[in-house]
Structure formats: C-alpha cells, structure tokens
Amino acid sequence: LKRPPDRYRLLSPTSIFRLNLKSVVQALEKRHPTAEVESIRRVFPNRVQAFLRPKPVVAQVHVSQRYYPVTEEGTVLSVGQPNPWPHLSIIYLEGQQGSFRIGATLKYPGFYQASELLKAIHRQGGLAGHWVSSIRLKGRDLFLFLDSGLELRFNRDRLLAGWQQLGQLLGQRPKLLTEARYLDFRFEDPVIGR
C-alpha cells in the first residue's frame, strides 16, 4: 500500500496564533484520505507541525475482479489489484460493479456489520483459533468462511442473536468448529451441517 507522509511541516501564511488548526486537520485529511492526523501543534516562531498515520486496514473488498484494501469505515486505501492481498480477509459484495478510487467510501448494505464482525474476531485473536478468510454479503445474509473451511451463516437482521447462539454452542461443544461443515444461525434454532 502506498503510505502518506507521516510528518508535515507547514509554513503558515498568517500568524500561527490566528491559524485555525481544525481547518488544517480537515485539509490534510482531505488531501490524504488514507491517513488520519495523529497530532498537530504550533512550532514557534512561524511553523505548524502535523503527524499523520495510515488508517488501519480491516479487510479487502472484491469488486469487478479486483481487490481493494479498506478501513473499518469503508475507506478505500489503494487502487484495486487483480490478485488478493495476502493475509487479509476478503469481503465479497454481491452485485457491486465498477471501480473505486483511493479515498472513496463504500456505501454497501451490510459492509459496516461485516467490518464490525471482523474487528471483534481480530480483537479476540480469532474464533477459537481460526481466522476469517472471507465474508460474502448477499441480500440480508452474511456468510462468513473460516480458514478451516467452516461456513457460518447469519441473517444481518439478527446478527447479534446469531453471534450469541454461536458463543453458547461453542461453550457446550468446543470442537464444533472442527467437526461441522457449516453452522446456520439465520433461524431461531441453529442448523449444524456435517
């Protein structure tokens, strides 16, 4: 990924006491949408110093035969490439076409839920030792595939309830993730496929 500069030194055209630092932050984030301003400060006698850091990548989206790394908010961080980025979960957006420019924000139903789910799994260090290889969003359904090949099926309208059901099942049967072929939480009673 192309990284933005991590440090800026700006010569202020006006007195640094009159300079609106919020406006400078907004201008920098507009110029570098793949970064966020970590800090900004006045440096006497006439400079402003800003430190930028790249936004963290949560996954890559697959659209029109290309892979785009994105942040948890859906900001596109790089041009699409024909091959997937290694060691990065893929989110398939059913029916989405076209290309994205760097800094564009995805507006796809269910993306935010998929992103939140990925973040939660990353925070936990995986799901019982397994990582998410991909997520497919199709209509109201979310299909999550683990690196072991197990498929977890959720309805986006009852994602939290399904996630809680998964937690209860794993508490009762810790080896379930290696024994089952798929787990379907789209209904009131989970379905276990062998």
Side-chain angles (χ1 to χ4, degrees), residues 53-162:
R53 71 167 174 244
K55 291 181 178 177
V57 179
V58 71
Q60 58 189 316
V61 295
H62 180 257
V63 174
S64 298
Q65 305 302 315
R66 305 205 60 84
Y67 297 87
Y68 298 86
V70 294
T71 67
E72 58 194 50
E73 298 87 17
T75 302
V76 176
L77 297 174
S78 178
V79 295
Q81 67 176 30
N83 298 311
W85 303 81
H87 313 294
L88 196 55
S89 302
I90 302 169
I91 299 176
Y92 293 95
L93 307 177
E94 291 286 325
Q96 181 75 43
Q97 296 295 317
S99 61
F100 298 110
R101 62 177 175 74
I102 296 174
T105 301
L106 296 176
K107 303 283 190 226
Y108 189 87
F111 174 82
Y112 183 73
Q113 289 168 307
S115 172
E116 286 295 308
L117 194 55
L118 277 174
K119 279 188 346 190
I121 292 170
H122 285 270
R123 272 195 310 267
Q124 296 178 102
L127 187 58
H130 298 283
W131 294 100
V132 176
S133 61
S134 66
I135 295 177
R136 184 174 300 277
L137 296 170
K138 186 174 183 179
R140 303 297 310 159
D141 293 328
L142 184 151
F143 303 93
L144 188 144
F145 298 87
L146 298 180
D147 57 8
S148 63
L150 176 70
E151 178 184 350
L152 302 170
R153 302 170 183 171
F154 297 97
N155 180 293
R156 289 190 296 116
D157 295 330
R158 56 181 319 274
L159 185 58
L160 180 58

Side-chain angles (χ1 to χ4, degrees), residues 10 14-15 17 19 42 50 66 74 102 119 136 159 184:
L10 307 170
T14 183
S15 166
F17 297 109
L19 190 64
R42 293 175 171 91
R66 305 205 60 84
I102 296 174
K119 279 188 346 190
R136 184 174 300 277
L159 185 58
D184 197 335

